[in-house]
Amino acid sequence: MKKTAISIAIAMSAGGAITPVFADEQAAQIEKIEVTGSRIKRSDMETASPVTFIGADAIQASGAVTIDDVLQDITAAAGAMTNPGVNNGSGGNASINLRGLGAQRTLVLVNGRRMINSGTGAASTVDLNTIPVAMIKHIEVLKDGASAVYGTDAVAGVVNIILKDDFEGAELNAQTGLSGEGDAEQHNIDLTVGTSFDRGNMVFGVQYMERGSASQADRDFSSCPLNETDGGKSLTCGGSTITPNGHLYLENGKELQGDEEGNYAEYNPETDPYNYASDSYLYTPMQRLNLTGVLNYELTDNTSLFTEAMYSKRWSEQQMAPQPVWFDFTYTEAMGDDLLEHGAEYGDTVHYRRRMTDTGTRDFSQVVDTVRTVVGVEGILDNDWSWDVAVNFGRNDSVDQLSNLHNIGSLTEDIELGNFNPLDQASWSADNMTDYLYTEQNTGGSQMLNFSASLAGDIIELPAGYLGFATGIEKRTEKAWYTPDSLTSQGLANDPKVEPTSGSYDVNEAFVEFAIPILADKAFAQNLDLSAAIRAFDYSSFGSDSTWKLGFTWKLNDQLMFRGVKSTAFRAPTVDELYGGKSPSFEQISHPLLDSQAEVIVGGNANLTPEEADTLTFGLVYEPSFVEGLSLTLDYYDIAITNAISEVNNQYIIDNCVDSNGGLINQSSPVCASANMQISNGKATFNNQLQNIGDETTQGYDVNVAYSFDAAGLNWRAGWDTSILKERTVTMAGETVDYTGLITSGLGGYADIKSSLSLAVKAESWSANYKVRYLSGMDSFSCLEDPTSCYAPSTPSMVYHDISGSYFVSDTIKLTGGINNLFDKQPPYYSGNNDSNTDPYTYDTLGRYVYAGMNIQF
């Protein structure tokens, strides 16, 4: 089968998202293929939805040894995506966030079937570390809602990772790299072995990767947390008011700072803050082992057995500054007279804060085991219809630890009994603190069992072609759990107590999809095809509903095609969102008569219902006949989510449920009724568990230009991929925020324009690649009300340059190398930053990175 020109143009529409590579000609021999976004196999790649293709050669050329290195660079990705540069709260995970709608709204598939949620605790998203790069044949990224085809989570799009299943021979890859500063070393080795036999094929792969760390102290931009002074006109090295040697608040209003000799002086906000950045990772270390096996075996002439087995083990670490502790105690004569000269009196209450540099940094570690197996049978009926039956099982188990924590319950009890003097610096020595130190250990996991059966084929020949269909049923059970450390669950640690999480649900689903040819070989309609799909589902957790999709492709001629899809999508609440254990969180609020910290109960909500979405994409593919090898695509997208699962803004609850005199109001409103506000002695306590309370929208354009040509005896390919964001709004409890063009403190960045320009050239014995990544400047969300009060109310546009190349030593040996962030572009500072004085979700914090490797085939 020979692809049409527009089919090739669609396939190349991803080329600008990553270094363009030279296509595998085996694709041209496939008679019918299944493209992500449809269950119907077809003889070309023309679908109504925009699909990005990323080949194995492109991944290798980028130097990536983890999938997040590839996917987080595509222009359709935005918002917060966990990666090695996220030290605080990442848990070692890696995620993909299409359209900036949240990683939980991007569905990840392997060979068209669900990947198990993975990570620490009751995970709600897929950890990309569980999928080995060495075994990837190609990646298909569907930038459209696809719940009618795949079910829950496919709101922003779908990432479908296709594994090698027809590999023959053996291939060994070894690669090493490090940053321009000599840290964050990364070593990778993988071996893929495959063989074919009379009735099938088997492929086995093993990959091991080890990544070193980098410290915030070793970069000028992150060596200390920056404070803005003089009304935002200057920057100074700042830090935390919770300091080594003790920071005391006395009843007379004085603040005191201790020193190593045991003296106390008035706290100096200019010199006394603690530089917590010096002990924090800028880039987090990890070790990872992946084992993968794929087997296809022909049982009969028309029936085959297929199996997939994946196992990954991850050891990851993060490091943060020593634990901050705080408690109150009564000042007694047994504690000495050091505070008397500062106006304190015996019997006064002292509010004590201390940074535990005495016992060392907080060290986070995770050990995560993930397994996924698929066993199925597929075949062809006498009428050429295809069928398959499969079982997909996945399980994730995690143990995460946090060391150098302190049992504040025991400590304060000993202070009350007179066995511990907090004002004596010797009491805090590492040797003396042994009895109060502990390592928090939490366990968790998730499990999925999915039974599926499907049938597809051509029903009848119509004047314009065959009416195709696909139908199927699925039954899936998911469960997840999280058991916190015993001290944490009892509230005996310095942080609030956390309840365990445990729960499950099951779902029965059925779908049907049609590909309907309308016109063929007509004036202004070389082909006009419609597609339609509907999926019905019944969840044990909330009930039943359905979702649908309508699409079209209108090929006017060999040069121009229009395409579009209108659909509904949904995301069912996860086990963690439904049954997540409750815990108190102390949050800042503003009210003239209430304490500035409210006790807010957060956690899951068993009454949650699915998020719902309306999606629309419309675009064109153009390949002009007067420029051979040139293709252009333009797509518009519009996604509107209702019933979004979120917490209500805490200040909104205070403003709407408490009047200026501290009395309760609007208690019959849904927000105030669920909050169950309690006020005692000026302190507010209320519930803010997850609710279906939000609306979210996003709109924009994707533009791609791809051009392949021969010149100077070389084969060239160029690609330009651009995403233009027009709207990204979030509405919670009646309050709407438009994040378009903004960068935040915890949700990542939403740049107006993300663009990638790439050029690849290939000769007989070598190849080279060059890529330019562009990110437009953004305004800081924290500075919207008064930009003049901020030192850096916006970020500049950023341009990164990457180069790579390969040299073919022989038919079996290839040397590769490259430099990412060639000009060592440093991340920008912005007011209201996330971490490291910048945003590790959005910017490259590591700097220049150099790598080299070898590929051996035998």
Side-chain angles (χ1 to χ4, degrees):
M1 182 275 297
K2 183 178 180 181
K3 295 193 185 85
T4 65
I6 291 182
S7 296
I8 297 173
I10 296 173
M12 291 180 64
S13 68
I18 190 167
T19 306
V21 296
F22 301 93
D24 184 350
E25 296 301 328
Q26 292 177 350
Q29 302 171 9
I30 301 174
E31 292 185 359
K32 285 193 175 183
I33 57 176
E34 183 178 309
V35 179
T36 302
S38 173
R39 299 281 192 180
I40 298 175
K41 295 182 179 180
R42 60 195 75 223
S43 58
D44 56 41
M45 301 171 70
E46 299 166 15
T47 66
S49 300
V51 179
T52 290
F53 290 78
I54 305 172
D57 288 343
I59 297 173
Q60 188 177 65
S62 71
V65 294
T66 58
I67 302 178
D68 56 294
D69 286 341
V70 178
L71 294 176
Q72 292 185 3
D73 273 351
I74 66 175
T75 60
M81 293 176 283
T82 50
N83 62 72
V86 180
N87 180 55
N88 187 0
S90 72
N93 294 327
S95 63
I96 174 63
N97 184 354
L98 292 178
R99 305 298 189 200
L101 290 174
Q104 74 276 19
R105 296 182 180 129
T106 298
L107 177 62
V108 177
L109 307 175
V110 175
N111 289 342
R113 292 180 171 85
R114 287 181 177 271
M115 183 62 189
I116 176 70
N117 287 340
S118 45
T120 53
S124 298
T125 59
V126 171
D127 177 17
L128 297 178
N129 288 304
T130 58
I131 304 170
V133 169
M135 282 290 291
I136 294 176
K137 187 175 184 178
H138 67 268
I139 302 173
E140 300 175 8
V141 181
L142 173 71
K143 297 176 287 186
D144 190 9
S147 287
V149 178
Y150 298 112
T152 183
D153 303 339
V155 176
V158 178
V159 174
N160 189 6
I161 294 132
I162 309 300
L163 302 179
K164 296 175 181 177
D165 61 353
D166 55 1
F167 180 83
E168 293 187 54
E171 182 177 69
L172 176 68
N173 289 290
Q175 181 173 301
T176 187
L178 75 166
S179 78
E181 300 295 326
D183 51 17
E185 294 184 12
Q186 190 163 269
H187 309 289
N188 179 79
I189 186 167
D190 61 73
L191 175 66
T192 305
V193 180
T195 184
S196 294
F197 40 89
D198 288 343
R199 305 188 71 89
N201 178 274
M202 179 174 63
V203 183
F204 175 77
V206 56
Q207 179 179 5
Y208 176 76
M209 189 269 282
E210 182 175 356
R211 183 178 69 214
S213 65
S215 172
Q216 291 184 20
D218 294 333
R219 300 294 190 277
D220 290 340
F221 67 85
S222 61
S223 58
C224 74
L226 297 175
N227 286 345
E228 299 185 6
T229 57
D230 298 329
K233 294 183 177 60
S234 59
L235 294 175
T236 60
C237 187
S240 171
T241 59
I242 303 181
T243 56
N245 305 313
H247 183 174
L248 286 62
Y249 297 81
L250 305 183
E251 283 191 5
N252 60 14
K254 287 187 177 181
E255 294 183 41
L256 304 181
Q257 174 63 43
D259 63 20
E260 293 180 357
E261 285 73 35
N263 302 312
Y264 292 90
E266 290 202 25
Y267 177 79
N268 186 336
E270 304 238 344
T271 59
D272 289 338
Y274 169 71
N275 180 5
Y276 52 82
S278 61
D279 290 314
S280 295
Y281 282 149
L282 179 74
Y283 201 74
T284 58
M286 181 179 71
Q287 294 173 276
R288 191 191 71 196
L289 174 67
N290 295 92
L291 303 174
T292 310
V294 178
L295 169 66
N296 295 291
Y297 184 77
E298 198 174 289
L299 299 173
T300 69
D301 289 344
N302 295 317
T303 307
S304 296
L305 171 74
F306 60 90
T307 65
E308 304 164 18
M310 303 173 65
Y311 170 74
S312 71
K313 191 175 188 73
R314 165 166 66 88
W315 302 265
S316 51
E317 298 176 10
Q318 303 83 47
Q319 180 177 290
M320 295 182 65
Q323 184 184 11
V325 300
W326 55 88
F327 51 84
D328 299 339
F329 64 85
T330 301
Y331 183 37
T332 65
E333 294 184 15
M335 297 178 182
D337 58 3
D338 293 332
L339 304 186
L340 297 179
E341 61 180 292
H342 299 286
E345 297 181 4
Y346 295 124
D348 283 354
T349 297
V350 176
H351 307 282
Y352 191 89
R353 309 288 183 267
R354 187 182 186 94
R355 182 71 60 167
M356 295 302 300
T357 53
D358 317 82
T359 50
T361 57
R362 283 170 291 171
D363 299 323
F364 300 77
S365 65
Q366 301 85 32
V367 179
V368 183
D369 292 272
T370 305
V371 64
R372 176 184 183 267
T373 59
V374 176
V375 179
V377 181
E378 61 184 359
I380 303 293
L381 302 177
D382 291 341
N383 61 358
D384 257 357
W385 288 6
S386 62
W387 61 272
D388 71 75
V389 178
V391 178
N392 180 1
F393 173 79
R395 183 179 173 99
N396 168 67
D397 289 278
S398 66
V399 176
D400 64 282
Q401 294 185 337
L402 173 53
S403 59
N404 284 341
L405 294 182
H406 302 78
N407 188 333
I408 302 304
S410 296
L411 183 66
T412 53
E413 182 179 352
D414 280 352
I415 292 174
E416 292 174 1
L417 294 174
N419 298 327
F420 188 99
N421 182 3
L423 299 181
D424 182 2
Q425 296 296 342
S427 299
W428 297 96
S429 69
D431 291 340
N432 199 46
M433 292 300 296
T434 303
D435 292 340
Y436 304 105
L437 277 175
Y438 74 98
T439 295
E440 176 184 286
Q441 178 167 300
N442 313 300
T443 60
S446 55
Q447 182 172 297
M448 177 189 71
L449 180 62
N450 190 12
F451 297 92
S452 64
S454 68
L455 181 68
D458 295 331
I459 300 176
I460 189 173
E461 186 176 8
L462 301 176
Y466 283 93
L467 172 64
F469 86 103
T471 186
I473 57 174
E474 295 184 30
K475 179 178 179 60
R476 189 173 78 255
T477 300
E478 297 207 23
K479 66 178 181 179
W481 58 93
Y482 173 70
T483 305
D485 185 89
S486 60
L487 288 178
T488 304
S489 63
Q490 297 176 69
L492 297 178
N494 203 55
D495 295 322
K497 67 178 181 179
V498 178
E499 295 180 353
T501 295
S502 181
S504 65
Y505 65 81
D506 58 72
V507 55
N508 296 305
E509 300 179 277
F511 72 90
V512 63
E513 180 184 359
F514 295 99
I516 310 165
I518 304 299
L519 296 173
D521 301 322
K522 304 294 184 182
F524 303 107
Q526 182 175 326
N527 288 107
L528 175 60
D529 296 331
L530 298 182
S531 59
I534 187 168
R535 174 179 289 259
F537 48 86
D538 183 19
Y539 277 77
S540 62
S541 51
F542 59 81
S544 59
D545 206 337
S546 62
T547 184
W548 54 266
K549 179 191 84 168
L550 291 173
F552 78 93
T553 57
W554 176 21
K555 188 189 301 182
L556 277 74
N557 49 47
D558 287 336
Q559 301 180 61
L560 181 62
M561 185 186 80
F562 293 96
R563 62 189 179 190
V565 173
K566 174 70 174 175
S567 67
T568 60
F570 76 101
R571 186 181 74 86
T574 65
V575 171
D576 188 46
E577 290 170 330
L578 288 167
Y579 310 115
K582 293 185 292 184
S583 64
S585 176
F586 297 97
E587 304 290 343
Q588 292 295 124
I589 62 167
S590 177
H591 188 278
L593 299 181
L594 299 179
D595 191 274
S596 61
Q597 269 199 337
E599 183 176 333
V600 183
I601 307 301
V602 297
N605 180 356
N607 297 317
L608 291 174
T609 58
E611 298 180 336
E612 301 171 354
D614 292 313
T615 70
L616 172 67
T617 60
F618 179 81
L620 62 86
V621 181
Y622 180 51
E623 187 176 71
S625 59
F626 52 85
V627 183
E628 184 179 355
L630 176 66
S631 68
L632 306 94
T633 66
L634 170 63
D635 289 285
Y636 167 78
Y637 65 88
D638 185 333
I639 304 173
I641 301 171
T642 57
N643 221 32
I645 297 172
S646 182
E647 297 175 355
V648 184
N649 180 281
N650 292 313
Q651 188 61 47
Y652 182 88
I653 294 176
I654 293 294
D655 293 343
N656 284 271
C657 305
V658 184
D659 63 22
S660 59
N661 297 317
L664 301 182
I665 57 174
N666 300 325
Q667 294 304 291
S668 61
S669 72
V671 170
C672 297
S674 63
N676 190 26
M677 179 75 64
Q678 305 290 323
I679 297 178
S680 177
N681 297 321
K683 190 174 187 66
T685 301
F686 58 90
N687 178 60
N688 194 8
Q689 292 169 254
L690 293 171
Q691 299 183 57
N692 293 104
I693 201 163
D695 297 314
E696 300 192 29
T697 63
T698 185
Q699 299 176 16
Y701 301 91
D702 292 326
V703 184
N704 175 265
V705 180
Y707 184 37
S708 60
F709 59 96
D710 294 327
L714 303 172
N715 193 318
W716 301 78
R717 289 200 176 179
W720 176 43
D721 195 58
T722 299
S723 291
I724 303 169
L725 181 64
K726 300 299 294 182
E727 179 182 332
R728 177 66 179 98
T729 63
V730 177
T731 301
M732 294 292 169
E735 182 178 347
T736 300
V737 177
D738 188 350
Y739 288 99
T740 308
L742 299 183
I743 189 165
T744 70
S745 177
L747 299 177
Y750 299 89
D752 293 299
I753 300 174
K754 291 185 70 175
S755 190
S756 178
L757 178 65
S758 50
L759 180 67
V761 56
K762 183 178 182 182
E764 185 174 343
S765 61
W766 59 270
S767 65
N769 306 276
Y770 172 62
K771 182 166 70 172
V772 180
R773 295 174 283 141
Y774 172 81
L775 186 69
S776 63
M778 291 173 278
D779 295 326
S780 172
F781 177 79
S782 301
C783 301
L784 290 181
E785 291 188 4
D786 185 11
T788 61
S789 66
C790 295
Y791 180 87
S794 61
T795 64
S797 59
M798 298 291 289
V799 180
Y800 297 103
H801 300 261
D802 306 328
I803 61 171
S804 65
S806 299
Y807 177 71
F808 302 90
V809 178
S810 67
D811 291 340
T812 59
I813 299 176
K814 180 174 66 173
L815 303 179
T816 61
I819 305 175
N820 292 334
N821 195 354
L822 177 64
F823 299 110
D824 199 25
K825 193 76 171 180
Q826 301 296 294
Y829 168 83
Y830 66 96
S831 301
N833 57 81
N834 180 305
D835 192 16
S836 305
N837 298 313
T838 187
D839 184 16
Y841 289 126
T842 302
Y843 299 109
D844 175 6
T845 58
L846 193 57
R848 182 184 295 115
Y849 179 78
V850 182
Y851 62 91
M854 176 182 291
N855 171 274
I856 304 175
Q857 297 179 357
F858 48 92

